[in-house]
Structure formats: C-alpha cells, structure tokens
Amino acid sequence: MIKEILRQTDEIDAEIEKLRIRRGPENSRRTDMRIAQLGERRNYLLSQARNLSPEDKVFLARLGARPHIDDFIDALFTDFFEQKGDHLYGDDQSIFGGIARFHGRPVTVLGHRKGRTMKENISRNFGMPKPEGYRKALRMMEQADKFGRPIITFVDTPGAYPGVDAEEHGQGEAIARNLAAMSRLRVPVITVVTGEGNSGGALAISVANRILMLENAVYSILSPEGFASILWKDSSRHAEAAALMKMTAADLKEAGVADEIVAEPAGGAQVNPMLVYAALDEAIEKNLKELEELSSRVLIEERQKKFRAM
C-alpha cells in the first residue's frame, strides 16, 4: 500500500513543481487553485498511510529518501569533528562519526552511513561495514569512554558486509569484540534505529542502555528475504516473514527490546524530516539526562541486564 501512495504523491509533487515553474501573471489564479487542489489530494493520500503492515514498514525503513546519519548530525549536533580510520588497516566509509556537542555537552556520535547516489552507495558498501568499519567505531567508543563522553549511535544497515575480503579481515572477530567492549563501557550509550537494523551488523554498534526507534524503522536478526529463504526456501514470502519476525518498532517496544518509539509523519520520515528531528532531539535529551544520573557501575549493570534479558 505505502509504495503506491508514495508513487502517487511523488507524481503530485512533480506536477506541482512544473506548475510553479510555468506560473505567470496571466494564469496565476488558475495555477494557484490547481496547486491547492493537488496539495489537498496529496494530504489525503498521506492520511491513508497509517496502520501500515510490517511489509510496508520494511519498505519505508529502506527508502533512500529517509534522513541519513549526515542529516541527523547536521540537525541535532553542533561542532562536529569527523574521525577517520581504524588505525590498523583503513577507513571504512560505511561507518561515519566523530566528536560533537549535543545541547552543549561533548558527545561521540557514530553510525552506519548509506549514500544518496549509486556512486556514494558503492563507496560506502550500501551501509554494510567491513571489519575496518567496526574497528573504527570501537576506536571512537573507547576514546569516548576514556574521556567520559556519552555515546550516541545511529543504526541503518542491511547487515555486515558479506564479502570474502571482510571474512579474511576478521568480520566475526570485529563484531564480537565490539559486543564485548560495548557491554563494559562506563558512559551512557544511546542507540537510535533510523531505518533497517539487521543482524550482527546492527548489533555491533547498538549494545546500548537505551534503544530508540523511529516509528517506521525495523530491527531484526536478518532481513525478511533471508529469513524466508532459510525457513521456507522461498524469498518471495518476505511479507509473511516480516510479520512473523516481529521486527517493527511497535513489536519491539512491546517485547522490551526498544525503549522508546519516535513518531514519524504520515508517509514516513522523508515527508517532513524537521518534525522527526525535533521529536528525536527531545527523546535523546530526555534519555541522556536520565542516564547521566547513574554511576558507571549501574550503567554497565543495566546494559548487561537489558541484553541478557533479550
């Protein structure tokens, strides 16, 4: 359903843009009336984008037009300073992060980085990190721990990069090391799942005290297509798998995996990103203030207890 709604709203947006370009003094009134009619039609279509199926939410979670980590950093943080490389092998561009300020306090912010264009996606492995990316993330997190900076991570990945070179460079070891190290961090850790969060590729940067999810984000052990291929040997049953896996934000909040759901406008975060930024800013600030009241010992104990309970 959502795919067809967004196709129609995109067509309306294109028509409105054409009318605005062609608008002249002699036809301004007629053009304004037509633009208003199209706007009403667009709003009606978006109003139907509620009570979405798990399949619809998977589609939205993967949508390239959704805000990416670059957008969240620009909107929520100030004084951002990027940190590159794992200081062992290279700089994996599918992990992006550095030091910044959030409401004036120094923090470390990092996460998966997808691209807008095919060229960007290829250079960033479509948001699928190699071991160098996870070691880069770990380096930033250990530095934050050393200097007492809270850590905020953004998850949006199909999973860890599945190539032979990633396995040769120690993909499993890199992910396992991150899980172990994050469980012992002495500073507050908040994870925000903004799109799709699949497999150990997502978990490697989300062993957090609090897990926030955008309303149409998904978080699971693997993709619905992979689940259907393994369970039924039929990837075409991905819609059925998405429902069975309980991977939506609402399902995970009910299960106690997600701690808070951040609302999105009807049709998805890309419809009005500013509303999402405002809601997410409030959610991060609230949770961070609560976590800053806790001692390092309690932060570690609560984080470990949370993940053991899963």
Side-chain angles (χ1 to χ4, degrees), residues 112-131:
H112 302 101
R113 190 186 202 187
K114 293 180 177 178
R116 297 286 185 198
T117 65
M118 182 57 70
K119 183 178 179 180
E120 285 183 348
N121 270 317
I122 291 172
S123 69
R124 298 168 187 175
N125 298 325
F126 293 84
M128 296 183 289
K130 296 182 179 182

Side-chain angles (χ1 to χ4, degrees), residues 197-260:
N198 291 337
S199 190
L203 191 60
I205 62 167
S206 61
V207 181
N209 296 97
R210 302 285 169 84
I211 296 177
L212 315 181
M213 292 185 68
L214 298 194
E215 183 178 355
N216 294 309
V218 294
Y219 187 52
S220 62
I221 57 169
L222 79 169
S223 69
E225 293 83 358
F227 185 98
S229 296
I230 293 170
L231 191 63
W232 302 307
K233 304 296 186 288
D234 182 3
S235 63
S236 67
R237 296 175 65 179
H238 56 86
E240 185 181 350
L244 184 64
M245 291 169 72
K246 304 293 184 183
M247 62 194 299
T248 68
D251 289 328
L252 294 167
K253 177 69 165 61
E254 184 178 348
V257 175
D259 297 289
E260 187 170 338

Side-chain angles (χ1 to χ4, degrees), residues 84-97:
K84 296 185 177 183
D86 64 350
H87 290 191
L88 290 170
Y89 181 80
D91 181 44
D92 186 342
Q93 293 188 45
S94 61
I95 291 287
F96 181 64

Side-chain angles (χ1 to χ4, degrees), residues 84-188:
K84 296 185 177 183
D86 64 350
H87 290 191
L88 290 170
Y89 181 80
D91 181 44
D92 186 342
Q93 293 188 45
S94 61
I95 291 287
F96 181 64
I99 304 168
R101 291 185 183 276
F102 179 73
H103 289 225
R105 62 168 75 78
V107 298
T108 287
V109 55
L110 62 99
H112 302 101
R113 190 186 202 187
K114 293 180 177 178
R116 297 286 185 198
T117 65
M118 182 57 70
K119 183 178 179 180
E120 285 183 348
N121 270 317
I122 291 172
S123 69
R124 298 168 187 175
N125 298 325
F126 293 84
M128 296 183 289
K130 296 182 179 182
E132 301 83 67
Y134 291 118
R135 291 173 182 138
K136 171 183 174 180
L138 179 59
R139 181 177 71 81
M140 286 189 272
M141 291 188 286
E142 287 181 336
Q143 183 194 77
D145 189 60
K146 178 179 179 179
F147 291 101
R149 291 192 298 268
I151 298 168
I152 301 167
T153 72
F154 289 84
V155 169
D156 185 16
T157 181
Y161 186 72
V164 173
D165 58 334
E167 295 299 331
E168 291 175 343
H169 293 178
Q171 186 75 287
E173 183 273 344
I175 291 173
R177 187 178 294 273
N178 276 30
L179 303 184
M182 288 192 77
S183 71
R184 298 191 296 265
L185 291 170
R186 297 166 294 177
V187 296

